[in-house]
Amino acid sequence: MNLAYYDIRHNMGRFLLTCLGLGLLLGVVLSMIGIYRGLVADALTISRTPAADIWVVESGSRGPFAESSRIPGDTREAIARIHGVTEAGSITYQSLETTYKAKKLRLYVVGYEPGRLGGPDKIVKGRAITRSHYEVIADRRTNLPIGEQLVLGRNTFTVVGLTDGQVSSGGDPVIYITLLDSQELQFELAPSAARREIARGNAQKSADLDTVNAVVARLTPQINPTIAAKAIQSWKHLAAMTQQEQENILLRSVVERARKQIGLFTVLLLIVSTVIIALIIYTMTMDKIREIATLKLIGAPDRTIIGLIVQQALAMGMIGFCFGALLIINIQDFFPRRVLLQAEDGLALAGVVMLVCVLASALGVRLALKVDPATALGG
Amino acid sequence: MSDDVQPDVLVKLKNVSKHFGEGDARVDALRDVSIDVYPGQVIGLLGPSGSGKSTLLNVIGCILEPSSGWVSLDGEVVYDGHWLRPDLRKLRLEKIGFIFQSHNLIPFLDCTDNVAIVLNLAGFSSMKAKARAIELLEYLEVDQRRHAFPAQLSGGEAQRVAIARALANRPRIILADEPTAALDSVRAGIVMDLLRKVAAEQQAAILAVTHDEKIYDRFDHIFYLRDGRLETQKN
Ligand SMILES: Nc1ncnc2c1ncn2[C@@H]1O[C@H](COP(=O)(O)OP(=O)(O)OP(=O)(O)O)[C@@H](O)[C@H]1O
Ligand SMILES: [Mg+2]
């Protein structure tokens, strides 16, 4: 006879309500984990899209994401000639704000050379950029439909293709344009003083316009990226790092604080959940003191009583967790930034919740075992 | 102390004392109580409030450890200066049935399961336990309420289910602390008659604490306690 089951069945409404409350709490924990994962995934998305082995940036810079980096436009040709480099591409990155349908739209603009490394890895709708000017591939998150016109700087662009899930480390949706367009855009958006200088012809205008933020390169498998990066490093004006180093920079500098903040908050939430589960189970046990005393009096062994408490705790944790998971799966798309729910995180949390339930029952079990059977006697 | 246990004595206490606290706070709840209870006897425990009736019942029920003395239950010496068995709960399960003033049924189990759980704990299969539980409920004439939960029962019905539970494991000693306190005189009489029937049919001993003068005539013997001392054994 499973007492835990009978008790739950008899107080079904109350039990489910408790589970629902716990479910909301665990839903928040799950979403925090999802937000954390989403933050990390978002931070790495843009750097992973080119699937490069090497990043070439300005000397002394840890760019192009963590710090600014400007290198001459002809760097790509020099890199492409290195032994072992199979592909290379120049890329520019810039954040800008434009208006779309009378609303501000923040965008992260990637300029690349069509046909070379650095473009979108997957176009889910529409086509790639075929003309050298004024075509845009936008991410779905911009809500721009194919064929839509978009004003960037002084020019009007046409959306020709869509990507999915391309965001900057700050969560802004990404658009891709040609390198030439992006260089013009960078010039237009440059601080006015610098722009005036260039326009007056004091600087070599063409050379200054032809800068990029980074060159990405792919290597043949035989070449060790670290060694290749070291070799490029020795060139004047250039620095190079491997993909792994680039990702480390992104995680350690760009989103470090946010990552720690959310990580810490998630841990706090878990602690709060533990305390709440413990209190719920303790109260549930308090409510059953008399029944527990009666059970002891009629000869029930401790194992029956521990079973009653621990099984209920586990059932509550399990059902609560399912409520929470269902909730978060259904609302994850309403979050403004990506919430990345991973099965292994869910399983890990489920495991933690089960563990917490068992630990939290300890308090209730202690109370139950101390109950004097004589409590059941008399009035 | 001697170990002679007459086989036909179900409950035997020799010079049992129980005190709570020490020094100024010391309360002598039982002083040198010796009793013999035989199969088939229905014993009433009477006395003013605080005289030690519940304490005596709890000592016999192995819920409260005496301070000194000697106790044997159903032919087995269970206390001789200290408990002789480590598994008192199992001992209770085997030998003793309890009936409480407030029925103390488990609220989340229906009547059948409230009785069956004792049998389950004693190792019966669920099927057998339920079958015997229903048999007992029939015997106590509450089987028509077998699917009801305790909260849905009248006081008399609940007390009869509680008696069924106390009888489930066929204990030879049944302890009842004011079993009729929550019942009107008619129902109290019915419950006492039932207990007399059980005592006679199962050769069990019944010890019932009561304040209820209306049922004094239902007892074979009355033990009268005053200040923890057994005063008289009236017949
Ligand atoms: N756990 C305890 N700790 C201290 N003193 C106790 C305890 N239990 C009982 N006593 C004391 O022992 C004495 C006998 O108590 P007991 O409960 O046996 O009386 P009773 O005859 O059942 O009274 P009533 O008719 O009111 O139920 C009382 O003075 C009581 O205060
Ligand atoms: Mg009492």
Side-chain angles (χ1 to χ4, degrees):
Chain A
M1 190 183 290
N2 187 320
L3 290 176
Y5 167 72
Y6 280 101
D7 186 25
I8 289 173
R9 200 185 56 176
H10 191 247
N11 295 305
M12 191 58 109
R14 188 177 134 183
F15 180 76
L16 285 182
L17 219 59
T18 312
C19 286
L20 194 71
L22 188 61
L24 290 175
L25 187 65
L26 292 178
V28 174
V29 176
L30 256 181
S31 63
M32 280 324 282
I33 297 174
I35 289 170
Y36 176 87
R37 292 286 187 198
L39 186 86
V40 170
D42 279 357
L44 296 178
T45 301
I46 277 297
S47 76
R48 280 184 174 169
T49 303
D53 293 316
I54 297 255
W55 290 74
V56 181
V57 294
E58 187 178 333
S59 168
S61 155
R62 302 197 309 148
F65 307 107
E67 295 172 354
S68 77
S69 154
R70 279 183 165 269
I71 54 178
D74 57 8
T75 308
R76 196 251 308 143
E77 284 157 42
I79 297 294
R81 280 198 294 271
I82 296 176
H83 170 70
V85 171
T86 56
E87 265 184 278
S90 302
I91 312 188
T92 63
Y93 296 102
Q94 58 190 315
S95 282
L96 59 77
E97 209 169 79
T98 181
T99 40
Y100 170 64
K101 287 192 173 162
K103 265 198 205 155
K104 288 230 182 298
L105 180 60
R106 267 196 77 75
L107 296 171
Y108 192 70
V109 184
V110 180
Y112 75 106
E113 303 167 281
R116 294 194 204 280
L117 214 49
D121 52 352
K122 196 170 162 225
I123 293 170
V124 292
K125 206 173 162 200
R127 59 169 174 84
I129 291 176
T130 51
R131 289 166 46 196
S132 52
H133 283 295
Y134 312 136
E135 285 189 342
V136 168
I137 294 172
D139 191 77
R140 280 204 163 134
R141 294 224 164 192
T142 58
N143 288 326
L144 293 165
I146 286 184
E148 186 66 82
Q149 309 278 304
L150 183 69
V151 177
L152 299 173
R154 267 187 250 135
N155 300 307
T156 303
F157 288 70
T158 307
V159 177
V160 296
L162 295 179
T163 60
D164 199 10
Q166 293 281 301
V167 288
S168 73
S169 58
D172 297 329
V174 167
I175 62 169
Y176 290 90
I177 58 178
T178 64
L179 190 69
L180 291 174
D181 286 344
S182 77
Q183 286 172 328
E184 199 181 333
L185 200 59
Q186 273 189 343
F187 170 68
E188 283 165 15
L189 299 176
S192 53
R195 206 165 51 209
R196 269 200 306 277
E197 285 287 294
I198 294 169
R200 239 184 268 146
N202 287 355
Q204 311 124 293
K205 177 180 171 178
S206 62
D208 261 35
L209 246 182
D210 190 19
T211 58
V212 299
N213 299 124
V215 169
V216 287
R218 261 184 219 164
L219 304 173
T220 57
Q222 292 86 338
I223 307 282
N224 182 338
T226 317
I227 293 168
K230 274 237 171 71
I232 297 170
Q233 193 86 350
S234 62
W235 296 12
K236 241 188 179 171
H237 307 310
L238 293 184
M241 63 190 99
T242 63
Q243 174 69 24
Q244 191 56 53
E245 287 168 331
Q246 182 65 267
E247 291 187 8
N248 287 347
I249 287 174
L250 277 164
L251 290 184
R252 302 244 170 89
S253 340
V254 180
V255 291
E256 176 72 352
R257 288 248 172 80
R259 210 163 64 97
K260 274 194 180 154
Q261 178 103 343
I262 296 178
L264 187 69
F265 190 62
T266 310
V267 171
L268 276 181
L269 266 179
L270 269 177
I271 294 172
V272 170
S273 308
T274 309
V275 172
I276 289 180
I277 292 174
L279 285 179
I280 293 174
I281 294 167
Y282 191 76
T283 324
M284 268 163 57
T285 311
M286 286 286 270
D287 288 346
K288 278 200 281 286
I289 292 283
R290 204 179 165 87
E291 286 81 70
I292 289 169
T294 308
L295 283 170
K296 283 187 177 181
L297 200 69
I298 61 178
D302 283 344
R303 127 177 77 79
T304 305
I305 289 152
I306 295 172
L308 170 68
I309 296 168
V310 174
Q311 283 168 15
Q312 279 190 352
L314 286 177
M316 192 177 68
M318 216 136 64
I319 296 172
F321 177 81
C322 291
F323 276 152
L326 268 179
L327 174 80
I328 214 64
I329 286 168
N330 281 303
I331 63 163
Q332 59 174 323
D333 291 334
F334 295 102
F335 282 81
R337 283 197 65 169
R338 174 146 47 162
V339 177
L340 192 59
L341 300 176
Q342 291 177 324
E344 58 261 40
D345 287 344
L347 283 178
L349 180 64
V352 169
V353 169
M354 294 296 111
L355 196 73
V356 160
C357 283
V358 172
L359 289 181
S361 340
L363 210 62
V365 166
R366 220 176 78 102
L367 174 75
L369 292 185
K370 275 204 293 201
V371 171
D372 184 357
T375 320
L377 286 169
Chain B
M1 300 238 163
S2 69
D3 287 322
D4 58 317
V5 183
Q6 295 139 272
D8 56 337
V9 185
L10 267 181
V11 179
K12 190 174 181 71
L13 267 64
K14 280 196 211 163
N15 308 101
V16 169
S17 296
K18 173 68 188 173
H19 62 86
F20 296 101
E22 291 298 337
D24 285 348
R26 178 173 165 133
V27 178
D28 284 291
L30 291 178
R31 306 173 205 235
D32 260 346
V33 174
S34 300
I35 55 171
D36 292 301
V37 183
Y38 295 88
Q41 273 191 323
V42 179
I43 309 284
L45 278 175
L46 265 62
S49 185
S51 57
K53 306 183 293 291
S54 296
T55 306
L56 179 59
L57 219 54
N58 292 356
V59 165
I60 298 171
C62 304
I63 297 165
L64 206 57
E65 182 167 3
S67 306
S68 62
W70 185 94
V71 180
S72 108
L73 301 176
D74 198 8
E76 181 183 343
V77 183
V78 296
Y79 183 86
D80 190 358
H82 56 91
W83 292 120
L84 297 176
R85 276 180 65 160
D87 51 343
L88 291 174
R89 272 186 233 176
K90 190 142 173 287
L91 176 82
R92 288 200 288 269
L93 188 61
E94 287 165 5
K95 294 191 193 294
I96 304 166
F98 289 93
I99 302 166
F100 312 98
Q101 171 177 355
S102 55
H103 55 73
N104 270 25
L105 295 171
I106 310 285
F108 52 82
L109 297 179
D110 68 16
C111 292
T112 315
D113 287 335
N114 254 294
V115 179
I117 184 172
V118 177
L119 297 157
N120 259 294
L121 291 171
F124 283 81
S125 73
S126 289
M127 282 262 285
K128 273 200 183 139
K130 272 205 203 279
R132 166 136 174 85
I134 291 169
E135 225 173 78
L136 275 164
L137 292 175
E138 276 166 7
Y139 177 61
L140 291 164
E141 296 167 12
V142 275
D143 58 308
Q144 73 284 358
R145 302 291 280 145
R146 74 176 81 139
H147 296 301
F149 284 93
Q152 301 161 334
L153 300 176
S154 74
E157 286 169 341
Q159 201 55 302
R160 274 182 283 168
V161 175
I163 293 170
R165 177 175 67 185
L167 301 180
N169 210 23
R170 299 181 204 282
R172 300 207 55 208
I173 301 161
I174 294 164
L175 306 176
D177 202 343
E178 309 196 25
T180 59
L183 306 178
D184 62 44
S185 56
V186 179
R187 311 243 161 251
I190 293 173
V191 164
M192 283 315 297
D193 288 341
L194 250 166
L195 289 177
R196 292 192 64 82
K197 184 170 133 188
V198 169
E201 290 180 9
Q202 305 196 358
Q203 283 301 291
I206 294 177
L207 282 108
V209 170
T210 188
H211 280 123
D212 197 347
E213 292 177 23
K214 301 182 289 288
I215 58 167
Y216 286 179
D217 57 338
R218 304 299 217 280
F219 295 113
D220 301 322
H221 265 285
I222 285 177
F223 292 162
Y224 195 84
L225 278 166
R226 183 182 292 279
D227 288 337
R229 228 182 276 283
L230 204 56
E231 285 215 323
T232 41
Q233 296 198 18
K234 300 181 193 161
N235 220 332

